[in-house]
PDB file of all heavy atoms in Angstrom:
ATOM      1  N   SER A   1      40.389  44.221  62.023  1.00 76.00           N
ATOM      2  CA  SER A   1      40.792  44.644  60.695  1.00 76.00           C
ATOM      3  C   SER A   1      40.445  46.121  60.522  1.00 76.00           C
ATOM      4  O   SER A   1      39.367  46.579  60.913  1.00 76.00           O
ATOM      5  CB  SER A   1      40.082  43.814  59.624  1.00 76.00           C
ATOM      6  OG  SER A   1      38.680  43.978  59.715  1.00 76.00           O
ATOM      7  N   LEU A   2      41.349  46.865  59.937  1.00 83.00           N
ATOM      8  CA  LEU A   2      41.176  48.312  59.840  1.00 83.00           C
ATOM      9  C   LEU A   2      40.048  48.691  58.890  1.00 83.00           C
ATOM     10  O   LEU A   2      39.545  49.814  58.954  1.00 83.00           O
ATOM     11  CB  LEU A   2      42.488  48.958  59.404  1.00 83.00           C
ATOM     12  CG  LEU A   2      43.664  48.782  60.376  1.00 83.00           C
ATOM     13  CD1 LEU A   2      44.871  49.564  59.897  1.00 83.00           C
ATOM     14  CD2 LEU A   2      43.289  49.189  61.790  1.00 83.00           C
ATOM     15  N   ASP A   3      39.634  47.773  57.998  1.00 82.00           N
ATOM     16  CA  ASP A   3      38.562  48.127  57.072  1.00 82.00           C
ATOM     17  C   ASP A   3      37.174  48.003  57.696  1.00 82.00           C
ATOM     18  O   ASP A   3      36.171  48.093  57.003  1.00 82.00           O
ATOM     19  CB  ASP A   3      38.651  47.300  55.780  1.00 82.00           C
ATOM     20  CG  ASP A   3      38.429  45.823  56.008  1.00 82.00           C
ATOM     21  OD1 ASP A   3      38.317  45.405  57.170  1.00 82.00           O
ATOM     22  OD2 ASP A   3      38.378  45.077  55.010  1.00 82.00           O
ATOM     23  N   SER A   4      37.117  47.828  59.019  1.00 86.00           N
ATOM     24  CA  SER A   4      35.828  47.879  59.714  1.00 86.00           C
ATOM     25  C   SER A   4      35.581  49.241  60.334  1.00 86.00           C
ATOM     26  O   SER A   4      34.534  49.483  60.923  1.00 86.00           O
ATOM     27  CB  SER A   4      35.778  46.810  60.809  1.00 86.00           C
ATOM     28  OG  SER A   4      36.644  47.158  61.882  1.00 86.00           O
ATOM     29  N   VAL A   5      36.540  50.154  60.188  1.00 90.00           N
ATOM     30  CA  VAL A   5      36.543  51.409  60.938  1.00 90.00           C
ATOM     31  C   VAL A   5      36.405  52.617  60.014  1.00 90.00           C
ATOM     32  O   VAL A   5      37.151  52.759  59.042  1.00 90.00           O
ATOM     33  CB  VAL A   5      37.855  51.553  61.739  1.00 90.00           C
ATOM     34  CG1 VAL A   5      37.874  52.852  62.513  1.00 90.00           C
ATOM     35  CG2 VAL A   5      38.042  50.374  62.678  1.00 90.00           C
ATOM     36  N   LEU A   6      35.456  53.496  60.323  1.00 94.00           N
ATOM     37  CA  LEU A   6      35.388  54.811  59.692  1.00 94.00           C
ATOM     38  C   LEU A   6      35.974  55.821  60.658  1.00 94.00           C
ATOM     39  O   LEU A   6      35.520  55.938  61.798  1.00 94.00           O
ATOM     40  CB  LEU A   6      33.935  55.192  59.370  1.00 94.00           C
ATOM     41  CG  LEU A   6      33.762  56.576  58.726  1.00 94.00           C
ATOM     42  CD1 LEU A   6      34.186  56.539  57.259  1.00 94.00           C
ATOM     43  CD2 LEU A   6      32.334  57.080  58.849  1.00 94.00           C
ATOM     44  N   CYS A   7      37.002  56.543  60.233  1.00 95.00           N
ATOM     45  CA  CYS A   7      37.607  57.596  61.053  1.00 95.00           C
ATOM     46  C   CYS A   7      36.922  58.919  60.755  1.00 95.00           C
ATOM     47  O   CYS A   7      36.895  59.364  59.602  1.00 95.00           O
ATOM     48  CB  CYS A   7      39.100  57.708  60.764  1.00 95.00           C
ATOM     49  SG  CYS A   7      40.063  56.284  61.278  1.00 95.00           S
ATOM     50  N   LEU A   8      36.350  59.538  61.771  1.00 96.00           N
ATOM     51  CA  LEU A   8      35.682  60.829  61.631  1.00 96.00           C
ATOM     52  C   LEU A   8      36.503  61.879  62.371  1.00 96.00           C
ATOM     53  O   LEU A   8      36.597  61.855  63.598  1.00 96.00           O
ATOM     54  CB  LEU A   8      34.265  60.754  62.193  1.00 96.00           C
ATOM     55  CG  LEU A   8      33.481  62.071  62.306  1.00 96.00           C
ATOM     56  CD1 LEU A   8      33.397  62.779  60.966  1.00 96.00           C
ATOM     57  CD2 LEU A   8      32.086  61.812  62.858  1.00 96.00           C
ATOM     58  N   VAL A   9      37.103  62.783  61.612  1.00 94.00           N
ATOM     59  CA  VAL A   9      37.870  63.897  62.182  1.00 94.00           C
ATOM     60  C   VAL A   9      36.962  65.115  62.124  1.00 94.00           C
ATOM     61  O   VAL A   9      36.664  65.632  61.042  1.00 94.00           O
ATOM     62  CB  VAL A   9      39.175  64.131  61.408  1.00 94.00           C
ATOM     63  CG1 VAL A   9      40.000  65.221  62.083  1.00 94.00           C
ATOM     64  CG2 VAL A   9      39.983  62.843  61.313  1.00 94.00           C
ATOM     65  N   SER A  10      36.509  65.567  63.277  1.00 93.00           N
ATOM     66  CA  SER A  10      35.425  66.549  63.319  1.00 93.00           C
ATOM     67  C   SER A  10      35.834  67.793  64.084  1.00 93.00           C
ATOM     68  O   SER A  10      36.123  67.742  65.285  1.00 93.00           O
ATOM     69  CB  SER A  10      34.186  65.919  63.975  1.00 93.00           C
ATOM     70  OG  SER A  10      33.098  66.804  63.933  1.00 93.00           O
ATOM     71  N   GLY A  11      35.862  68.904  63.380  1.00 88.00           N
ATOM     72  CA  GLY A  11      36.164  70.191  63.992  1.00 88.00           C
ATOM     73  C   GLY A  11      35.386  71.268  63.257  1.00 88.00           C
ATOM     74  O   GLY A  11      34.156  71.243  63.197  1.00 88.00           O
ATOM     75  N   THR A  12      36.083  72.235  62.669  1.00 88.00           N
ATOM     76  CA  THR A  12      35.435  73.253  61.840  1.00 88.00           C
ATOM     77  C   THR A  12      34.644  72.586  60.722  1.00 88.00           C
ATOM     78  O   THR A  12      33.519  72.956  60.404  1.00 88.00           O
ATOM     79  CB  THR A  12      36.490  74.203  61.245  1.00 88.00           C
ATOM     80  OG1 THR A  12      37.230  74.796  62.306  1.00 88.00           O
ATOM     81  CG2 THR A  12      35.828  75.285  60.416  1.00 88.00           C
ATOM     82  N   SER A  13      35.263  71.580  60.105  1.00 90.00           N
ATOM     83  CA  SER A  13      34.606  70.767  59.092  1.00 90.00           C
ATOM     84  C   SER A  13      34.719  69.311  59.523  1.00 90.00           C
ATOM     85  O   SER A  13      35.321  69.001  60.541  1.00 90.00           O
ATOM     86  CB  SER A  13      35.269  70.981  57.730  1.00 90.00           C
ATOM     87  OG  SER A  13      36.637  70.601  57.772  1.00 90.00           O
ATOM     88  N   ASN A  14      34.125  68.418  58.747  1.00 94.00           N
ATOM     89  CA  ASN A  14      34.228  66.987  59.023  1.00 94.00           C
ATOM     90  C   ASN A  14      34.996  66.295  57.913  1.00 94.00           C
ATOM     91  O   ASN A  14      34.784  66.585  56.726  1.00 94.00           O
ATOM     92  CB  ASN A  14      32.848  66.335  59.130  1.00 94.00           C
ATOM     93  CG  ASN A  14      32.219  66.519  60.490  1.00 94.00           C
ATOM     94  OD1 ASN A  14      32.879  66.935  61.441  1.00 94.00           O
ATOM     95  ND2 ASN A  14      30.939  66.211  60.607  1.00 94.00           N
ATOM     96  N   CYS A  15      35.854  65.370  58.294  1.00 93.00           N
ATOM     97  CA  CYS A  15      36.589  64.548  57.339  1.00 93.00           C
ATOM     98  C   CYS A  15      36.350  63.088  57.693  1.00 93.00           C
ATOM     99  O   CYS A  15      36.519  62.692  58.851  1.00 93.00           O
ATOM    100  CB  CYS A  15      38.075  64.877  57.395  1.00 93.00           C
ATOM    101  SG  CYS A  15      39.085  63.960  56.217  1.00 93.00           S
ATOM    102  N   HIS A  16      35.903  62.290  56.716  1.00 95.00           N
ATOM    103  CA  HIS A  16      35.617  60.878  56.923  1.00 95.00           C
ATOM    104  C   HIS A  16      36.629  60.058  56.126  1.00 95.00           C
ATOM    105  O   HIS A  16      36.705  60.195  54.901  1.00 95.00           O
ATOM    106  CB  HIS A  16      34.211  60.534  56.443  1.00 95.00           C
ATOM    107  CG  HIS A  16      33.123  61.390  57.017  1.00 95.00           C
ATOM    108  ND1 HIS A  16      32.924  62.701  56.637  1.00 95.00           N
ATOM    109  CD2 HIS A  16      32.169  61.117  57.947  1.00 95.00           C
ATOM    110  CE1 HIS A  16      31.889  63.201  57.305  1.00 95.00           C
ATOM    111  NE2 HIS A  16      31.415  62.262  58.101  1.00 95.00           N
ATOM    112  N   LEU A  17      37.382  59.193  56.798  1.00 94.00           N
ATOM    113  CA  LEU A  17      38.418  58.410  56.130  1.00 94.00           C
ATOM    114  C   LEU A  17      38.206  56.924  56.395  1.00 94.00           C
ATOM    115  O   LEU A  17      37.972  56.511  57.533  1.00 94.00           O
ATOM    116  CB  LEU A  17      39.807  58.831  56.607  1.00 94.00           C
ATOM    117  CG  LEU A  17      40.165  60.293  56.316  1.00 94.00           C
ATOM    118  CD1 LEU A  17      40.276  61.073  57.612  1.00 94.00           C
ATOM    119  CD2 LEU A  17      41.435  60.410  55.511  1.00 94.00           C
ATOM    120  N   PHE A  18      38.319  56.142  55.314  1.00 93.00           N
ATOM    121  CA  PHE A  18      38.082  54.707  55.400  1.00 93.00           C
ATOM    122  C   PHE A  18      39.205  53.981  54.685  1.00 93.00           C
ATOM    123  O   PHE A  18      39.431  54.187  53.496  1.00 93.00           O
ATOM    124  CB  PHE A  18      36.737  54.362  54.756  1.00 93.00           C
ATOM    125  CG  PHE A  18      36.408  52.904  54.783  1.00 93.00           C
ATOM    126  CD1 PHE A  18      35.938  52.318  55.942  1.00 93.00           C
ATOM    127  CD2 PHE A  18      36.571  52.125  53.653  1.00 93.00           C
ATOM    128  CE1 PHE A  18      35.633  50.955  55.971  1.00 93.00           C
ATOM    129  CE2 PHE A  18      36.273  50.770  53.672  1.00 93.00           C
ATOM    130  CZ  PHE A  18      35.801  50.182  54.839  1.00 93.00           C
ATOM    131  N   SER A  19      39.943  53.141  55.419  1.00 92.00           N
ATOM    132  CA  SER A  19      41.102  52.445  54.859  1.00 92.00           C
ATOM    133  C   SER A  19      40.727  51.042  54.400  1.00 92.00           C
ATOM    134  O   SER A  19      39.890  50.372  55.022  1.00 92.00           O
ATOM    135  CB  SER A  19      42.220  52.356  55.907  1.00 92.00           C
ATOM    136  OG  SER A  19      42.705  53.642  56.238  1.00 92.00           O
ATOM    137  N   THR A  20      41.368  50.610  53.319  1.00 90.00           N
ATOM    138  CA  THR A  20      41.071  49.304  52.745  1.00 90.00           C
ATOM    139  C   THR A  20      42.292  48.752  52.021  1.00 90.00           C
ATOM    140  O   THR A  20      43.158  49.517  51.588  1.00 90.00           O
ATOM    141  CB  THR A  20      39.877  49.394  51.769  1.00 90.00           C
ATOM    142  OG1 THR A  20      39.652  48.129  51.155  1.00 90.00           O
ATOM    143  CG2 THR A  20      40.133  50.431  50.699  1.00 90.00           C
ATOM    144  N   ASP A  21      42.349  47.437  51.902  1.00 89.00           N
ATOM    145  CA  ASP A  21      43.464  46.792  51.216  1.00 89.00           C
ATOM    146  C   ASP A  21      43.363  46.875  49.702  1.00 89.00           C
ATOM    147  O   ASP A  21      44.323  46.605  48.995  1.00 89.00           O
ATOM    148  CB  ASP A  21      43.549  45.306  51.610  1.00 89.00           C
ATOM    149  CG  ASP A  21      44.013  45.135  53.054  1.00 89.00           C
ATOM    150  OD1 ASP A  21      44.863  45.925  53.489  1.00 89.00           O
ATOM    151  OD2 ASP A  21      43.512  44.222  53.731  1.00 89.00           O
ATOM    152  N   ARG A  22      42.193  47.214  49.194  1.00 88.00           N
ATOM    153  CA  ARG A  22      41.993  47.211  47.742  1.00 88.00           C
ATOM    154  C   ARG A  22      41.504  48.573  47.268  1.00 88.00           C
ATOM    155  O   ARG A  22      40.926  49.346  48.030  1.00 88.00           O
ATOM    156  CB  ARG A  22      40.990  46.127  47.340  1.00 88.00           C
ATOM    157  CG  ARG A  22      39.650  46.248  48.018  1.00 88.00           C
ATOM    158  CD  ARG A  22      38.816  44.977  47.907  1.00 88.00           C
ATOM    159  NE  ARG A  22      37.561  45.089  48.636  1.00 88.00           N
ATOM    160  CZ  ARG A  22      36.413  45.481  48.093  1.00 88.00           C
ATOM    161  NH1 ARG A  22      36.367  45.787  46.802  1.00 88.00           N
ATOM    162  NH2 ARG A  22      35.311  45.547  48.815  1.00 88.00           N
ATOM    163  N   ALA A  23      41.749  48.836  46.013  1.00 89.00           N
ATOM    164  CA  ALA A  23      41.338  50.107  45.429  1.00 89.00           C
ATOM    165  C   ALA A  23      39.875  50.027  44.994  1.00 89.00           C
ATOM    166  O   ALA A  23      39.517  49.251  44.112  1.00 89.00           O
ATOM    167  CB  ALA A  23      42.219  50.442  44.226  1.00 89.00           C
ATOM    168  N   VAL A  24      39.031  50.819  45.645  1.00 88.00           N
ATOM    169  CA  VAL A  24      37.611  50.877  45.306  1.00 88.00           C
ATOM    170  C   VAL A  24      37.255  52.331  44.992  1.00 88.00           C
ATOM    171  O   VAL A  24      37.476  53.217  45.816  1.00 88.00           O
ATOM    172  CB  VAL A  24      36.725  50.348  46.455  1.00 88.00           C
ATOM    173  CG1 VAL A  24      35.247  50.482  46.084  1.00 88.00           C
ATOM    174  CG2 VAL A  24      37.066  48.900  46.767  1.00 88.00           C
ATOM    175  N   TYR A  25      36.708  52.557  43.812  1.00 89.00           N
ATOM    176  CA  TYR A  25      36.303  53.902  43.419  1.00 89.00           C
ATOM    177  C   TYR A  25      34.857  54.129  43.841  1.00 89.00           C
ATOM    178  O   TYR A  25      33.986  53.314  43.549  1.00 89.00           O
ATOM    179  CB  TYR A  25      36.471  54.088  41.914  1.00 89.00           C
ATOM    180  CG  TYR A  25      37.915  54.014  41.474  1.00 89.00           C
ATOM    181  CD1 TYR A  25      38.487  52.801  41.091  1.00 89.00           C
ATOM    182  CD2 TYR A  25      38.707  55.150  41.476  1.00 89.00           C
ATOM    183  CE1 TYR A  25      39.821  52.730  40.706  1.00 89.00           C
ATOM    184  CE2 TYR A  25      40.043  55.091  41.099  1.00 89.00           C
ATOM    185  CZ  TYR A  25      40.591  53.871  40.715  1.00 89.00           C
ATOM    186  OH  TYR A  25      41.905  53.816  40.343  1.00 89.00           O
ATOM    187  N   VAL A  26      34.613  55.238  44.525  1.00 90.00           N
ATOM    188  CA  VAL A  26      33.295  55.532  45.065  1.00 90.00           C
ATOM    189  C   VAL A  26      32.850  56.881  44.538  1.00 90.00           C
ATOM    190  O   VAL A  26      33.500  57.905  44.799  1.00 90.00           O
ATOM    191  CB  VAL A  26      33.313  55.555  46.606  1.00 90.00           C
ATOM    192  CG1 VAL A  26      31.900  55.763  47.148  1.00 90.00           C
ATOM    193  CG2 VAL A  26      33.915  54.267  47.163  1.00 90.00           C
ATOM    194  N   HIS A  27      31.760  56.900  43.785  1.00 87.00           N
ATOM    195  CA  HIS A  27      31.291  58.150  43.193  1.00 87.00           C
ATOM    196  C   HIS A  27      30.951  59.167  44.289  1.00 87.00           C
ATOM    197  O   HIS A  27      30.248  58.868  45.250  1.00 87.00           O
ATOM    198  CB  HIS A  27      30.054  57.915  42.333  1.00 87.00           C
ATOM    199  CG  HIS A  27      29.572  59.160  41.657  1.00 87.00           C
ATOM    200  ND1 HIS A  27      30.228  59.706  40.560  1.00 87.00           N
ATOM    201  CD2 HIS A  27      28.533  59.988  41.927  1.00 87.00           C
ATOM    202  CE1 HIS A  27      29.592  60.802  40.183  1.00 87.00           C
ATOM    203  NE2 HIS A  27      28.563  60.995  40.995  1.00 87.00           N
ATOM    204  N   GLY A  28      31.477  60.367  44.138  1.00 88.00           N
ATOM    205  CA  GLY A  28      31.212  61.432  45.094  1.00 88.00           C
ATOM    206  C   GLY A  28      32.154  61.478  46.275  1.00 88.00           C
ATOM    207  O   GLY A  28      32.115  62.422  47.056  1.00 88.00           O
ATOM    208  N   LEU A  29      33.016  60.458  46.426  1.00 91.00           N
ATOM    209  CA  LEU A  29      34.028  60.459  47.480  1.00 91.00           C
ATOM    210  C   LEU A  29      35.410  60.479  46.847  1.00 91.00           C
ATOM    211  O   LEU A  29      35.590  60.049  45.709  1.00 91.00           O
ATOM    212  CB  LEU A  29      33.890  59.228  48.387  1.00 91.00           C
ATOM    213  CG  LEU A  29      32.915  59.370  49.566  1.00 91.00           C
ATOM    214  CD1 LEU A  29      31.478  59.366  49.078  1.00 91.00           C
ATOM    215  CD2 LEU A  29      33.124  58.241  50.564  1.00 91.00           C
ATOM    216  N   TRP A  30      36.381  60.950  47.594  1.00 90.00           N
ATOM    217  CA  TRP A  30      37.747  61.015  47.085  1.00 90.00           C
ATOM    218  C   TRP A  30      38.454  59.699  47.337  1.00 90.00           C
ATOM    219  O   TRP A  30      38.201  59.014  48.310  1.00 90.00           O
ATOM    220  CB  TRP A  30      38.495  62.163  47.757  1.00 90.00           C
ATOM    221  CG  TRP A  30      37.835  63.499  47.579  1.00 90.00           C
ATOM    222  CD1 TRP A  30      36.907  63.841  46.637  1.00 90.00           C
ATOM    223  CD2 TRP A  30      38.026  64.666  48.388  1.00 90.00           C
ATOM    224  NE1 TRP A  30      36.517  65.150  46.801  1.00 90.00           N
ATOM    225  CE2 TRP A  30      37.181  65.680  47.874  1.00 90.00           C
ATOM    226  CE3 TRP A  30      38.826  64.963  49.482  1.00 90.00           C
ATOM    227  CZ2 TRP A  30      37.131  66.954  48.423  1.00 90.00           C
ATOM    228  CZ3 TRP A  30      38.776  66.234  50.033  1.00 90.00           C
ATOM    229  CH2 TRP A  30      37.931  67.224  49.501  1.00 90.00           C
ATOM    230  N   GLY A  31      39.369  59.371  46.466  1.00 89.00           N
ATOM    231  CA  GLY A  31      40.147  58.153  46.599  1.00 89.00           C
ATOM    232  C   GLY A  31      39.730  57.127  45.546  1.00 89.00           C
ATOM    233  O   GLY A  31      38.878  57.412  44.689  1.00 89.00           O
ATOM    234  N   PRO A  32      40.338  55.960  45.602  1.00 91.00           N
ATOM    235  CA  PRO A  32      41.276  55.494  46.618  1.00 91.00           C
ATOM    236  C   PRO A  32      42.672  56.099  46.451  1.00 91.00           C
ATOM    237  O   PRO A  32      43.176  56.194  45.337  1.00 91.00           O
ATOM    238  CB  PRO A  32      41.321  53.979  46.382  1.00 91.00           C
ATOM    239  CG  PRO A  32      41.037  53.837  44.913  1.00 91.00           C
ATOM    240  CD  PRO A  32      40.079  54.941  44.576  1.00 91.00           C
ATOM    241  N   PHE A  33      43.249  56.526  47.573  1.00 91.00           N
ATOM    242  CA  PHE A  33      44.602  57.072  47.589  1.00 91.00           C
ATOM    243  C   PHE A  33      45.516  56.084  48.322  1.00 91.00           C
ATOM    244  O   PHE A  33      45.177  55.615  49.407  1.00 91.00           O
ATOM    245  CB  PHE A  33      44.641  58.413  48.315  1.00 91.00           C
ATOM    246  CG  PHE A  33      43.723  59.451  47.727  1.00 91.00           C
ATOM    247  CD1 PHE A  33      42.739  60.055  48.511  1.00 91.00           C
ATOM    248  CD2 PHE A  33      43.823  59.832  46.402  1.00 91.00           C
ATOM    249  CE1 PHE A  33      41.891  61.017  47.988  1.00 91.00           C
ATOM    250  CE2 PHE A  33      42.977  60.796  45.864  1.00 91.00           C
ATOM    251  CZ  PHE A  33      42.008  61.387  46.657  1.00 91.00           C
TER     252      PHE A  33
END
């Protein structure tokens, strides 16, 4: 299931992306988009 995976795109900066079937609002993080 894709909601077990954190995608870390790491270069000049770091981007952390987490996919889920439901909309969850997380203080201090962007999304859910």
Side-chain angles (χ1 to χ4, degrees):
S1 61
L2 297 185
D3 65 354
S4 71
V5 180
L6 179 76
C7 293
L8 172 56
V9 184
S10 185
T12 302
S13 61
N14 278 348
C15 182
H16 307 73
L17 299 113
F18 179 78
S19 295
T20 176
D21 289 323
R22 57 196 177 94
V24 178
Y25 295 91
V26 184
H27 182 75
L29 273 72
W30 303 341
F33 302 123

